[in-house]
Amino acid sequence: MTDTAPETPKKLTSDEKRRMKSAARLYAVQALFQMEAAGQGVDRVAREFESYRFGLALEEGEEALAEGDMNLFRRLLDDAVMWQAKIDQATDRALVAKWPIDRIDPVLRALFRAAGAELVNPATPARVVINEFVEVARAFFPDGKEPKFVNAVLDHMAREIRPEAF
């Protein structure tokens, strides 16, 4: 029997870190959607995603789902729940008066809540948040007009929540 030294964790490149953050944003939108659709709490859904979805292989031979930045994922969920009223009000003001947040697609509602949670926390530049969540919208709506709609709403929200960034 031979002793082998434990592997040293591989240092992530900036591109890998960026992909992990993008995956965390996508997972946060999915988790917020699931919380609303199934009436589940944040802790339960977060544990499910962290335990069963991050890096999960879908089918034999298929590529594993992307590893997500668990810290960003958890922060987005926690902040979206903590600041939901503020985020929803900012979203309402960014939407046309006849389309309050409770009338829009639930995936878009989850996306706006996740993006709003990241806008409330100034760790990420506002323009990066907008760009990242427009990409998330493209993942959910690849052939629709939703990404342009998301861009316009998030631009309005960002200017309200973080006017100093513009």
Side-chain angles (χ1 to χ4, degrees):
M1 189 166 163
T2 61
D3 279 333
T4 57
E7 283 188 39
T8 354
K10 180 183 140 192
K11 186 169 168 85
L12 298 173
T13 66
S14 61
D15 193 47
E16 289 169 323
K17 289 177 187 175
R18 193 173 16 257
R19 276 196 306 270
M20 288 177 71
K21 286 182 179 184
S22 293
R25 291 177 179 105
L26 179 75
Y27 293 152
V29 172
Q30 291 173 327
L32 289 166
F33 174 85
Q34 180 176 326
M35 287 169 54
E36 181 178 344
Q40 296 173 330
V42 67
D43 289 330
R44 179 179 176 186
V45 172
R47 278 193 311 272
E48 178 186 324
F49 270 77
E50 293 165 354
S51 298
Y52 301 109
R53 299 206 185 169
F54 278 51
L56 174 72
L58 299 176
E59 299 274 328
E60 190 174 320
E62 287 188 9
E63 191 174 326
L65 296 175
E67 280 295 332
D69 179 326
M70 285 198 195
N71 292 328
L72 176 59
F73 171 76
R74 185 56 97 135
R75 191 184 85 224
L76 290 176
L77 291 186
D78 291 342
D79 286 355
V81 170
M82 181 180 358
W83 299 104
Q84 183 173 330
K86 177 180 181 175
I87 293 165
D88 285 358
Q89 290 167 3
T91 305
D92 270 338
R93 286 188 290 276
L95 295 169
V96 177
K98 294 181 182 179
W99 290 101
I101 192 166
D102 61 336
R103 288 188 60 195
I104 65 170
D105 181 283
V107 172
L108 289 175
R109 195 167 38 248
L111 185 147
F112 291 139
R113 287 176 177 157
E118 195 161 6
L119 286 169
V120 168
N121 185 331
T124 306
R127 292 180 196 279
V128 171
V129 173
I130 294 168
N131 289 335
E132 285 290 321
F133 281 98
V134 166
E135 288 305 312
V136 170
R138 283 191 181 105
F140 286 108
F141 306 99
D143 300 323
K145 295 181 181 177
E146 290 85 353
K148 289 181 181 180
F149 175 65
V150 166
N151 186 55
V153 171
L154 291 182
D155 183 69
H156 189 282
M157 288 173 65
R159 290 174 189 278
E160 178 182 326
I161 294 170
R162 287 210 239 150
E164 73 285 354
F166 295 91

